[in-house]
Amino acid sequence: MLAYKYAKRQQTASGGLFTALMLQALSQNFYVCGSTLTDDLKAKHIIINKIEDYPLLIGSKYVQSFIGTTYKDIRKLLLQGEKYYFPVHLVKLLVYMLFSKKRYKRYIGQLFTVDLLCHGVPSPQIFKDYLNHLKSKHNANVIDFKFREKPGWRRYQVIAKFDDNKKDISFKDTNEYIKGFLKGNFLRSSCYNCAYTNLDRVSDLTIGDFWNYFSDNVNSEDIDDDKGISMLLINTQNGKSLFNKTKEDLIYFAKDFQKSIEKSPRLHKPTKKPETYEQFWQDYAQHDFCYMLKNYF
């Protein structure tokens, strides 16, 4: 169990572990790679190396992110010999694509990789259509969108902000887009047989929500404040070295690994493909978005 000690945890989607790792990395001149939501509300991978830019990468983005030239940019930075580089949300597969596995060993201590416990990646077209639906419903353009905002961690808010200064605020269990995402009808088809949802993690660190933390015996110091708890798996010595540099900023406890596996299914198996998946896409091609919302979300 991990939670970021400071007020920045309130800004984050979960326990703030990603933010703590990122700020530690940036303070040591790492480059950090992750997904941001652009001004036109498209998810896109970017690379930052200034602490003041860290807010660009915090928060969940429940939509497929555009990679663009990210792999080439990573390769260029590594070959330039940057002392630290820390790509988040990318696994070592990208390194094997850019270098041989043998050559990768040269970059231990320079390159750190982190993967996420992942429900699946939604279609960008669905998100675009949902934003257009909100535009029609409110007669205003969506200028900002938060997939996941506190005050509550378990029943988080979803917030759309419009150009007329109004907001549409809903919750995890009432927002149409999030309900559709959790049902799984519009994830990428590869998500249902994802090769990375197993215990042989290929990254240095694995992070994610620790949803069921309090369903097991907990430490006496624990307080369930509903502000978010992160799970961390340390998969390599390389990852351990980064955690050791960050742990002073964290409140953390070790948990029983086997019980954690049982209560975190995305650690060892992908999201189950819904029986309605094929029919969803057939209907999507034939009906308007309001029909899809009514019947599938």
Side-chain angles (χ1 to χ4, degrees):
M1 173 282 233
L2 294 104
Y4 197 25
K5 287 182 180 179
Y6 306 112
K8 289 184 177 66
R9 180 164 64 123
Q10 188 62 27
Q11 303 173 355
T12 70
S14 185
L17 177 57
F18 168 48
T19 298
L21 291 168
M22 172 168 55
L23 290 176
Q24 177 61 222
L26 291 170
S27 72
Q28 298 188 47
N29 299 316
F30 282 55
Y31 284 82
V32 178
C33 177
S35 181
T36 192
L37 207 60
T38 62
D39 291 340
D40 58 353
L41 302 183
K42 295 179 181 178
K44 178 183 178 181
H45 269 66
I46 62 171
I47 298 171
I48 65 172
N49 67 347
K50 297 179 180 178
I51 288 182
E52 58 265 32
D53 289 336
Y54 88 89
L56 293 172
L57 300 186
I58 63 175
S60 298
K61 291 90 182 177
Y62 294 136
V63 62
Q64 184 176 349
S65 186
F66 178 67
I67 296 296
T69 62
T70 298
Y71 291 168
K72 292 181 180 179
D73 296 338
I74 290 171
R75 186 177 191 275
K76 182 178 179 181
L77 284 168
L78 288 170
L79 290 174
Q80 286 175 348
E82 296 292 345
K83 186 176 180 181
Y84 299 107
Y85 186 76
F86 176 67
V88 178
H89 304 201
L90 303 175
V91 297
K92 287 180 183 173
L93 174 64
L94 78 88
V95 184
Y96 297 164
M97 293 167 59
L98 304 174
F99 308 99
S100 68
K101 186 174 181 179
K102 182 178 180 180
R103 287 188 64 190
Y104 170 75
K105 294 180 180 179
R106 301 180 187 179
Y107 297 95
I108 292 175
Q110 179 187 352
L111 172 66
F112 295 83
T113 55
V114 178
D115 74 273
L116 296 173
L117 299 185
C118 180
H119 175 75
V121 183
S123 160
Q125 184 61 48
I126 298 290
F127 183 57
K128 179 179 178 180
D129 288 345
Y130 177 66
L131 294 177
N132 286 332
H133 164 73
L134 291 178
K135 177 181 178 180
S136 298
K137 180 180 178 181
H138 294 272
N139 196 29
N141 294 311
V142 183
I143 60 172
D144 192 26
F145 193 88
K146 303 296 184 185
F147 293 87
R148 199 169 152 183
E149 285 284 290
K150 292 167 181 171
W153 172 50
R154 292 181 179 83
R155 192 171 184 251
Y156 53 79
Q157 292 180 336
V158 184
I159 303 175
K161 183 178 179 180
F162 299 90
D163 58 5
D164 60 1
N165 293 321
K166 294 181 180 179
K167 293 182 179 180
D168 181 293
I169 301 176
S170 53
F171 290 87
K172 170 186 177 180
D173 53 354
T174 62
N175 179 265
E176 295 162 322
Y177 183 82
I178 298 299
K179 288 196 300 180
F181 162 59
L182 293 175
K183 287 180 180 179
N185 279 308
F186 49 80
L187 306 181
R188 293 182 60 179
S189 58
S190 57
C191 293
Y192 306 110
N193 55 12
C194 178
Y196 298 101
T197 46
N198 59 65
L199 296 178
D200 184 20
R201 312 304 289 194
V202 296
S203 63
D204 296 310
L205 298 171
T206 297
I207 64 176
D209 286 280
F210 207 151
W211 289 117
N212 294 300
Y213 178 83
F214 283 97
S215 64
D216 191 14
N217 292 330
V218 296
N219 299 79
S220 59
E221 299 94 333
D222 285 358
I223 299 175
D224 186 1
D225 57 9
D226 197 32
K227 291 183 179 179
I229 299 173
S230 298
M231 175 183 285
L232 171 69
L233 299 183
I234 300 174
N235 304 319
T236 67
Q237 287 298 315
N238 200 39
K240 186 176 182 179
S241 68
L242 180 60
F243 170 70
N244 285 337
K245 294 174 182 176
T246 310
K247 64 184 182 182
E248 291 185 3
D249 294 330
L250 302 169
I251 300 169
Y252 61 94
F253 301 110
K255 294 285 283 185
D256 183 275
F257 182 62
Q258 190 59 44
K259 290 182 179 179
S260 298
I261 292 172
E262 294 170 0
K263 295 172 182 178
S264 301
R266 295 296 79 78
L267 264 176
H268 55 88
K269 60 182 178 181
T271 295
K272 184 178 179 181
K273 187 175 183 179
E275 294 180 0
T276 54
Y277 181 79
E278 304 298 340
Q279 189 62 48
F280 173 90
W281 288 108
Q282 291 179 28
D283 286 349
Y284 184 77
Q286 299 174 10
H287 297 280
D288 62 24
F289 197 70
C290 288
Y291 174 91
M292 300 303 295
L293 285 175
K294 181 179 178 180
N295 289 278
Y296 289 100
F297 286 70

